[in-house]
Amino acid sequence: MAERGGDEIATPGFTQEFRQDFETLLKWRRDVRRFKTEPLPAGMLERLLGLADLAPSVGNSQPWRIVIVDGPEKRARVISSFEAENEAAAQRYDDDKAAHYRQLKLAGLKEAPVHLAVFSDDDPVQGHGLGRTTMPETLAYSTVSMIHTFWLAARVEGIGVGWVSILDPEAVARILQVDADWRLVAYLCVGFPEEEHIDPELERVRWQARSPLETRLFRR
Amino acid sequence: MAERGGDEIATPGFTQEFRQDFETLLKWRRDVRRFKTEPLPAGMLERLLGLADLAPSVGNSQPWRIVIVDGPEKRARVISSFEAENEAAAQRYDDDKAAHYRQLKLAGLKEAPVHLAVFSDDDPVQGHGLGRTTMPETLAYSTVSMIHTFWLAARVEGIGVGWVSILDPEAVARILQVDADWRLVAYLCVGFPEEEHIDPELERVRWQARSPLETRLFRR
């Protein structure tokens, strides 16, 4: 990395090579649903969580609460919740779309060596409430920034992350017996991917292609 | 970047130097409230938005709707909303804390050359509803991942981002005359920072320090 001098202190600059590799990282970060059962190297989860903890948060509140789910009985109950909600979701589609939906692999809960249930504290003391009076949802948004940081940091190490949202959030909170003020934001599967792709699986199996950025950009 | 051969296709690996620089990026990514008025280089905003658009989204729905706010009258009305909500927030604190709060600089709306209002479409056609039946908030969470990607990509280029949440989201939607299904997720100030820091401003001015990760980690 090139260091460039600032007026007060030396601040980091980033090389052209870093720029290119950062773009590669964003392009190859994928939602992974096909995991090897191989465990993560010793210390890796702690390292990734340490990087994720650098994420921004409203009022510096750091509202994320991360539950490492190791208990086999608890994992089995989460998997049951997924299976029930996934079947309920399938039944909401018409026949052809439902058949297509049922062919999708939407979670790697049975294979992934690491399960993380990520909650957001809706009433943290830390931060003294700053920045969240009119938009209290910025607490959960801060937690999403942490999750996204974790996702990118994992991919740098060749580790895949799958975000499972086909769950009853209140059922997961009950299974894991967490504080009443905690809101489930994501249930993450983490492990080495069985296969790697630069295109999203939902695009590859023709469920949903990406569309041009121009359709999402407006001027006022 | 080192390329390592996969079974099917070559997938990217990342060097030790990239790992270190990526950690530096996370450490130096800050919420910026002190901007130079200098405009961004030509094409830069489009490049950053293109990278941000690589972010993950539930069901590949890409629900983010990005409004570039250039109109001076519209900017002035957003600034008025911020000032009113910021004063209302100050009044919620006791005397000493209120005095401290009023000393904080919480937005760079007047100086930042670029204003982005980022909305999330609560009912996008794209994605066919996949993954968001039980947790519809994953649409807004997808939009947060886009914002966070933008933030990191900007910092790589030495450009600062400040997330303003002290706003009435419905007032901003009215000012910008957007679709009724769009929810304001963030109002971003973007520009070159006047000063750069590795520590959060709220920590530096002793409003709120960070706390150890261990207090946010649990096992079940």
Side-chain angles (χ1 to χ4, degrees):
Chain A
M1 182 165 56
E3 295 287 336
R4 93 183 139 76
D7 286 344
E8 295 107 13
I9 50 166
T11 55
F14 296 91
T15 63
Q16 189 55 28
E17 190 183 6
F18 181 84
R19 280 180 175 74
Q20 288 168 1
D21 289 357
F22 182 68
E23 182 165 346
T24 300
L25 172 63
L26 297 178
K27 287 183 172 166
W28 281 86
R29 182 234 29 90
R30 292 264 68 82
D31 189 279
V32 171
R33 301 106 189 252
R34 298 164 198 278
F35 293 95
K36 299 176 182 171
T37 56
E38 175 187 345
L40 299 193
M44 178 60 79
L45 181 61
E46 293 70 19
R47 172 173 155 71
L48 298 179
L49 291 172
L51 290 171
D53 203 54
L54 295 166
S57 62
V58 62
N60 209 11
S61 56
Q62 302 187 293
W64 42 87
R65 306 291 179 257
I66 302 161
V67 180
I68 302 169
V69 184
D70 281 331
E73 186 258 351
K74 290 196 163 40
R75 284 194 181 198
R77 289 176 65 194
V78 170
I79 290 170
S80 291
S81 171
F82 167 77
E83 288 173 346
E85 298 300 342
N86 199 40
E87 178 52 30
Q91 289 176 15
R92 295 165 60 101
Y93 293 105
D94 294 339
D95 289 357
D96 283 1
K97 202 77 182 165
H100 191 182
Y101 183 89
R102 288 196 177 88
Q103 288 169 10
L104 303 173
K105 180 163 172 56
L106 294 175
L109 290 161
K110 290 183 179 166
E111 304 80 22
V114 175
H115 286 200
L116 300 180
V118 183
F119 295 84
S120 197
D121 189 339
D122 277 346
D123 191 22
V125 173
Q126 191 173 325
H128 309 282
L130 185 142
R132 58 185 171 89
T133 303
T134 56
M135 299 183 74
E137 61 271 29
T138 47
L139 288 165
Y141 296 169
S142 303
T143 298
V144 173
S145 291
M146 186 285 293
I147 293 166
H148 185 248
T149 308
F150 179 87
W151 204 339
L152 292 175
R155 184 61 192 84
V156 170
E157 302 294 341
I159 293 166
V161 173
W163 179 323
V164 184
S165 59
I166 305 171
L167 288 166
D168 174 349
E170 292 179 15
V172 175
R174 274 196 306 275
I175 293 167
L176 300 178
Q177 299 174 290
V178 299
D179 195 287
D181 281 332
W182 294 9
R183 169 200 303 266
L184 183 73
V185 172
Y187 196 92
L188 303 180
C189 294
V190 185
F192 288 103
E194 269 203 330
E195 38 186 81
E196 296 196 65
H197 298 276
I198 197 169
D199 54 341
E201 180 154 341
L202 292 181
E203 186 165 283
R204 210 156 53 247
V205 302
R206 297 174 188 274
W207 178 271
Q208 178 61 64
R210 288 168 288 186
S211 58
L213 170 59
E214 290 67 42
T215 61
R216 290 182 279 289
L217 266 187
F218 303 85
R219 285 184 185 270
R220 291 287 193 277
Chain B
M1 180 168 59
E3 295 286 337
R4 91 183 139 77
D7 287 345
E8 295 109 13
I9 48 165
T11 55
F14 295 91
T15 63
Q16 189 55 28
E17 191 184 5
F18 180 84
R19 279 179 178 74
Q20 288 167 1
D21 289 355
F22 182 67
E23 184 166 346
T24 299
L25 172 62
L26 297 178
K27 287 182 172 165
W28 281 85
R29 182 236 24 90
R30 293 264 69 82
D31 189 280
V32 171
R33 301 107 189 252
R34 298 165 197 278
F35 293 95
K36 298 176 182 171
T37 56
E38 173 187 346
L40 299 193
M44 178 61 79
L45 181 61
E46 293 71 18
R47 171 173 156 71
L48 298 179
L49 291 172
L51 291 171
D53 203 55
L54 294 167
S57 63
V58 63
N60 209 11
S61 56
Q62 301 187 294
W64 42 87
R65 307 289 178 258
I66 302 160
V67 179
I68 301 169
V69 183
D70 280 331
E73 186 259 351
K74 289 194 163 43
R75 284 193 181 199
R77 290 176 65 194
V78 169
I79 290 170
S80 291
S81 171
F82 167 76
E83 289 172 344
E85 298 299 342
N86 199 41
E87 179 51 30
Q91 290 177 12
R92 296 165 61 99
Y93 293 105
D94 293 339
D95 289 357
D96 283 1
K97 201 78 183 164
H100 192 181
Y101 183 89
R102 287 198 176 87
Q103 288 170 11
L104 303 173
K105 178 161 171 61
L106 294 174
L109 290 159
K110 290 184 179 165
E111 304 81 23
V114 175
H115 285 200
L116 299 180
V118 183
F119 295 85
S120 196
D121 189 339
D122 277 345
D123 191 22
V125 173
Q126 191 174 324
H128 309 284
L130 185 141
R132 58 183 172 90
T133 304
T134 56
M135 300 184 71
E137 60 272 29
T138 47
L139 288 165
Y141 295 170
S142 302
T143 297
V144 173
S145 291
M146 185 284 293
I147 293 165
H148 184 249
T149 308
F150 179 87
W151 204 338
L152 292 175
R155 184 61 191 83
V156 170
E157 303 294 341
I159 293 166
V161 173
W163 179 324
V164 185
S165 58
I166 305 172
L167 288 166
D168 174 350
E170 291 179 15
V172 175
R174 275 196 306 274
I175 293 167
L176 300 178
Q177 299 174 289
V178 300
D179 194 287
D181 282 331
W182 294 10
R183 169 200 304 265
L184 184 73
V185 172
Y187 197 91
L188 304 179
C189 293
V190 184
F192 288 103
E194 269 204 328
E195 36 185 84
E196 295 196 66
H197 298 277
I198 197 170
D199 55 339
E201 179 154 344
L202 291 181
E203 187 165 281
R204 210 158 50 250
V205 301
R206 297 175 189 271
W207 177 271
Q208 178 62 63
R210 289 169 288 186
S211 58
L213 170 61
E214 291 67 44
T215 62
R216 291 182 279 288
L217 266 187
F218 304 84
R219 287 185 183 268
R220 290 290 192 272

